[in-house]
Amino acid sequence: MRYLIPGDYMADPAAHVFNGKLYIYPSHDRESGVSENDNGDHFNMKDYHVFSMDDIEGPVTDHGIVLDVKDIPWAGRQLWDSDVACKNGKYYMYFPLKDKTDIFRIGVAVSDRPEGPFLPQDNPIKGSYSIDPAVFEEGGKYYMYFGGLWGGQLQRYRNNKALESAVLPQGGEPALCARIARLSDDMLEFAEEPRDVVLLDENGKALTAGDSKRRFFEASWIHKYNGKYYFSYSTGDTHLLCYATGDNPYGPFIYQGVILTPVVGWTTHHAIVEFKGKWYLFHHDSVPSGGKTWLRSLKVTELVYDDLGAIKTIDGGGDR
Ligand code: FUB
């Protein structure tokens, strides 16, 4: 495993290959002095950098600040995990940010280049909520996965409508799901109502809220390997990166196993990407900051499948 950007704190990597280069779109952690709580107020990030690499072993280029919260017209606070998609030579950055009423929405910013800078739209995506957008393209269609519990506010919604107050299902009740929505042709809005990304156990039963080592918490990612769709995510308070496989982008997905055991730090987050014939896991931990969970550092390691397409579990190095 290699730390990618030793000089600064970066987390929540999205990674994509554009024009033969590997681009990393992380959150930019900083010491803001906000104390730690279950709402994640201590993740008080205010800008994004973009990084690129010609080779996985080679130097990492920092393209500088590409979007700043002060330039986003609808901004309240907290720029969390972003992702970038390319369509017809334009690059679309999707980012979660609390609006002026402290509700997370998902915004879009546009650039002509993968390394930015990105120009934000005046308003967030209509009907968007919660955090952690991840965009997947297939056959010219683009799908956004999103959602996150606790500070990510997903428990405040059912059927895409805000509840009067948050309700977290308990015990044997079905767990809350990540959401998926196809994007409009101009990439700036949802083209449909978001749907649940249903995760099933080996018997075809939906994972329950009490199944905290397997149920979805946050940090959606999706990739395709040997014709199968791999939906991967964090289990949050049990600190695992897990995956489930399905036959199409909407799922349902059947739980398969753990990709990464707990790291040092509370959050775990990742991207999986193929680059020059090998597969890689980008993720973060809090080792360099001495365990401060809001000051995370980016890492990369090779990801290996067995002959049946199962991902070999990687040791995150945490002691939970
Ligand atoms: O970085 C803030 C939040 O922490 C992300 O949005 C989550 O996925 C978790 O990594």
Side-chain angles (χ1 to χ4, degrees):
M1 289 202 203
R2 169 186 177 199
Y3 283 104
L4 287 167
I5 300 144
D8 205 347
Y9 295 115
M10 300 281 163
D12 304 332
H16 294 281
V17 178
F18 294 129
N19 313 320
K21 271 193 195 209
L22 194 133
Y23 287 87
I24 309 168
Y25 302 95
S27 304
H28 184 192
D29 284 358
R30 69 187 181 108
E31 186 62 84
S32 71
V34 176
S35 44
E36 202 170 346
N37 61 27
D38 283 351
N39 278 335
D41 287 341
H42 46 304
F43 296 111
N44 193 17
M45 297 85 100
K46 62 181 179 56
D47 60 39
Y48 294 117
H49 285 232
V50 172
F51 299 87
S52 66
M53 304 167 81
D54 289 313
D55 288 292
I56 210 79
E57 309 288 350
V60 179
T61 302
D62 181 355
H63 297 280
I65 295 177
V66 300
L67 180 63
D68 194 304
V69 76
K70 70 175 167 34
D71 299 322
I72 302 171
W74 55 274
R77 59 182 181 136
Q78 295 182 284
L79 279 174
W80 285 11
D81 159 54
S82 68
D83 195 10
V84 170
C86 174
K87 183 176 181 184
N88 297 337
K90 283 211 180 296
Y91 295 83
Y92 299 85
M93 173 178 271
Y94 299 93
F95 57 89
L97 173 68
K98 283 182 181 161
D99 66 13
K100 295 182 195 306
T101 66
D102 237 20
I103 300 296
F104 268 116
R105 308 280 176 206
I106 297 174
V108 194
V110 186
S111 178
D112 291 328
R113 304 180 307 167
E115 68 272 27
F118 291 86
L119 192 65
Q121 298 291 297
D122 286 344
N123 293 293
I125 293 176
K126 283 191 278 302
S128 67
Y129 55 93
S130 199
I131 59 166
D132 288 1
V135 177
F136 174 74
E137 184 268 334
E138 183 162 67
K141 291 185 173 146
Y142 292 74
Y143 303 90
M144 181 188 290
Y145 299 78
F146 65 94
L149 303 185
W150 296 17
Q153 303 181 342
L154 191 61
Q155 65 279 7
R156 298 185 181 192
Y157 298 85
R158 292 292 189 284
N159 301 318
N160 304 316
K161 302 272 181 306
L163 302 172
E164 297 248 316
S165 54
V167 182
L168 261 176
Q170 303 292 324
E173 294 176 327
L176 290 179
C177 296
R179 307 287 198 265
I180 175 174
R182 191 164 57 75
L183 293 173
S184 56
D185 287 345
D186 66 5
M187 302 289 276
L188 302 177
E189 300 290 347
F190 292 151
E192 60 186 5
E193 284 275 300
R195 311 180 198 181
D196 283 354
V197 179
V198 175
L199 301 182
L200 304 175
D201 67 13
E202 60 283 8
N203 301 313
K205 195 169 161 290
L207 295 185
T208 60
D211 192 352
S212 62
K213 289 198 164 170
R214 298 196 296 179
R215 61 95 174 88
F216 171 80
F217 189 99
E218 63 185 3
S220 299
W221 188 257
I222 183 115
H223 73 280
K224 205 172 169 187
Y225 177 75
N226 277 353
K228 270 198 178 151
Y229 298 81
Y230 287 61
F231 176 74
S232 46
Y233 56 97
S234 161
T235 62
D237 54 347
T238 53
H239 316 286
L240 300 167
L241 286 180
C242 294
Y243 75 107
T245 56
D247 297 329
N248 69 81
Y250 288 101
F253 297 91
I254 300 172
Y255 178 85
Q256 300 294 334
V258 172
I259 299 172
L260 184 72
T261 63
V263 296
V264 171
W266 199 94
T267 70
T268 187
H269 195 116
H270 72 302
I272 294 170
V273 66
E274 187 179 21
F275 185 45
K276 300 192 175 177
K278 287 189 171 181
W279 286 88
Y280 296 96
L281 178 77
F282 288 80
H283 66 104
H284 67 225
D285 70 25
S286 297
V287 171
S289 69
K292 289 183 179 145
T293 198
W294 63 97
L295 295 179
R296 300 160 292 179
S297 295
L298 282 191
K299 295 173 96 172
V300 65
T301 190
E302 193 176 345
L303 179 129
V304 178
Y305 304 85
D306 73 12
D307 293 345
L308 298 175
I311 294 175
K312 294 197 177 165
T313 302
I314 297 165
D315 181 3
D319 58 2
R320 291 174 194 272

